[in-house]
Amino acid sequence: MNYIKVGKRTFSRVSVGNFKSGINTSTDQSVMPLNVAADCYNFDFTSGALKGTDGFTATTQSADSVWTANLNGEQYLMYCFKGEIYYKKGAEAPSKLSGIKLTGVPKAIGYRLYGEDVVLICSPTDNMVVWNGTDDAYYVNSSPLITSMALHYERMFVTTSDEPDTLWFSDDLDPTNWNTEMSEGGFIELADDRGKLIRAVEFLNYVYIFRERGISRLTAYANQSEFLVSHLFVTGGRIYPESIALCGDRVIFASSDGIFEFDGLNTRRILTNLDGALKPDESCVAAYHDGKYYLALKAQFTSDDGFATEYVNNALLVYGDSGYTLMRGYDITALHSGGSVLYAVIGGKINELKGKCELNKRWTVPFTDLGSGRVKLVHELYLDTKTDIVLTVKVDETTKSVVVKGKNTTSRINVNLKGRKVGIVIESSSPDPLISRPQLSYCYAAG
C-alpha cells in the first residue's frame, strides 16, 4: 500500500494487483482480498491481466446432437436433428441417412468391423445403427438400448436404459453380436448402494463403470469367465453422466457435490472456490478438447445483466493445466471434440469454437471495508485498458459508472464518494480487451 500527500490529506493507494487469483464464490466478499473476483465471466484472467476468451460461431445446421466419424480415410461431420441422421464432408451440403429414424438423442463411436471402418450410432430408445460411409445404414435389432459405450480389448461394454443395473458386453471382435453365450457376449449385474450404471469409460486398460453414486472397475483381459469387478469410490452426491469426460491421464466429472478428478484409483474435488456459482444438474454436458475440460452447466451469477433468464445451461466452465475460465451466455446442450474443432449445439444450431467471444464480460472486485469499518473518502481509481470499458464504483449504497476510453497510458478516474464499504465492477463488450493494474486511492473521513 502506498501513501500520497494531497494538501492536508494523506491518501492510501491500494492495488488490486493482478487478476491471476481468479474467482471465489464460496467465501463472503467482506473477507476476500481485492485481487479475487466475487463474480466474473467471459474474461480470461490466467495471464494476470483481463483478456478475451475464445467464442462460438454458429453454422447453418440445426441439430440435437453432433459427432464426427472417420470413414474410408475421410472425416465426416454427423448430427441428429428430430430423429434424422445427417452427414457431410468438408464444405459439401449435408446428406441424410435413408431408412433410419431415431426416437432418442444418439451417441456414436468408430470401429473397424470386418476390415472396414464403420460408425456405431446408439440411443437410449433405439437399437444400434451401423454405417460404413458407403452402403445403406442398418439396425442391429439384437442390441441393447445403449446409453454409453466403451471399447476395450475389441469388445464393446455398454450401459443401458432398460437394465440400468447391468453392464452388457458384446462378442470379441464384433460389437454387433450381443448373444449371451460364454463364447460370445454377456452381461454383469451390479446391484448395490452405488446405484444405477450411468457411463462406461475405457481408461488405463480397464473399464471404469460410473454409477449414480460411485465408481466400479472391471478387469476384462481374457475370457469372460475371468472378468473381475472391484469398487473404488462411493459418494453421497449424484454423479451426472454427460459430465464425465476422459481427459488424458484422468477422468473429470460433475456431481451434486461438486467437480471431481479421478486418476484410476483416487478421487478428489477440484475448483471448490466456485462452489457458490456452479450448479450442475442432469442437463450438464462435457467434452475434452485441446487439453481442456469443457463443462456446460447451470451457474448462479450476481445479476441478470441482460442475459437470458430461461436456458438449459447458462455457463461454460473451461478447465486445464493453466487454470480455468467461466463463460456465460452460451446455452449449450451438446458438446463434441472433433479433432481440431470443438462443436457445440447452441439454440438448436451447431456451433464451432473459433474467433473471440463477443459477449459482455465482467469482473467484480469484492464489496469490502478495506480492513476498517471507518468512513472513507474514495478519491480516485487508476488502471490500464487498451479498449473502452465501463467502470462502476459502489460505495455503500451509492454507485457511479464511468466509460473509460482505451489508451496506451494509465487512466485516472475521479470517484469522490464517501462510505464504509467499496466495490468495483469492470465491464467490457470488446472481443479483445486488455485490462491491468487497477488501483484505488482513499483516505479516512469524518462521518
Side-chain angles (χ1 to χ4, degrees), residues 66-70 75-78 287-290 335-344 351-352:
V66 60
W67 64 92
T68 52
N70 292 305
Q75 187 179 75
Y76 289 75
L77 175 66
M78 303 188 69
Y288 180 63
H289 177 74
D290 195 24
L335 282 166
H336 173 74
S337 177
S340 61
V341 180
L342 179 66
Y343 297 98
N351 283 243
E352 298 178 6

Side-chain angles (χ1 to χ4, degrees), residues 109-142:
I109 193 169
Y111 191 81
R112 190 152 184 86
L113 181 65
Y114 304 134
E116 68 175 357
D117 292 332
V118 298
V119 58
L120 309 175
I121 305 167
C122 306
S123 97
T125 55
D126 301 281
N127 293 117
M128 177 188 291
V129 172
V130 182
W131 185 54
N132 65 5
T134 303
D135 301 323
D136 289 341
Y138 62 91
Y139 289 99
V140 178
N141 293 323
S142 62

Side-chain angles (χ1 to χ4, degrees), residues 186-359:
F187 61 89
I188 301 170
E189 188 173 358
L190 299 175
D192 57 48
D193 58 3
R194 290 168 180 81
K196 298 175 182 178
L197 284 57
I198 59 173
R199 188 76 177 267
V201 177
E202 203 281 338
F203 178 49
L204 300 176
N205 290 323
Y206 297 98
V207 177
Y208 287 90
I209 309 155
F210 284 78
R211 322 273 295 276
E212 285 181 314
R213 292 179 295 279
I215 304 172
S216 302
R217 184 180 69 189
L218 174 67
T219 304
Y221 297 133
N223 190 285
Q224 60 177 276
S225 63
E226 300 176 16
F227 288 3
L228 175 66
V229 174
S230 55
H231 303 298
L232 303 178
F233 172 68
V234 64
T235 177
R238 185 174 181 182
I239 299 173
Y240 300 119
E242 299 306 315
S243 73
I244 302 165
L246 176 58
C247 304
D249 60 354
R250 55 192 166 172
V251 177
I252 303 179
F253 62 92
S255 83
S256 56
D257 289 336
I259 313 297
F260 289 81
E261 281 184 341
F262 174 65
D263 65 6
L265 286 175
N266 304 301
T267 306
R268 71 180 185 95
R269 283 194 65 195
I270 59 174
L271 299 172
T272 55
N273 55 302
L274 300 179
D275 282 352
L278 304 185
K279 307 296 179 185
D281 61 12
E282 286 287 348
S283 68
C284 63
V285 295
Y288 180 63
H289 177 74
D290 195 24
K292 297 176 182 178
Y293 173 69
Y294 289 79
L295 175 67
L297 76 167
K298 291 181 175 69
Q300 181 176 310
F301 297 96
T302 56
S303 64
D304 291 339
D305 292 334
F307 289 97
T309 56
E310 294 185 8
Y311 46 79
V312 177
N313 295 303
N314 67 328
L316 179 67
L317 173 68
V318 184
Y319 172 65
D321 290 338
S322 61
Y324 65 92
T325 56
L326 187 61
M327 300 175 69
R328 181 183 187 184
Y330 296 115
D331 190 357
I332 297 172
T333 54
L335 282 166
H336 173 74
S337 177
S340 61
V341 180
L342 179 66
Y343 297 98
V345 176
I346 303 174
K349 296 285 186 182
I350 297 175
N351 283 243
E352 298 178 6
L353 183 68
K354 63 181 181 182
K356 290 293 186 178
C357 175
E358 302 279 349
L359 302 176

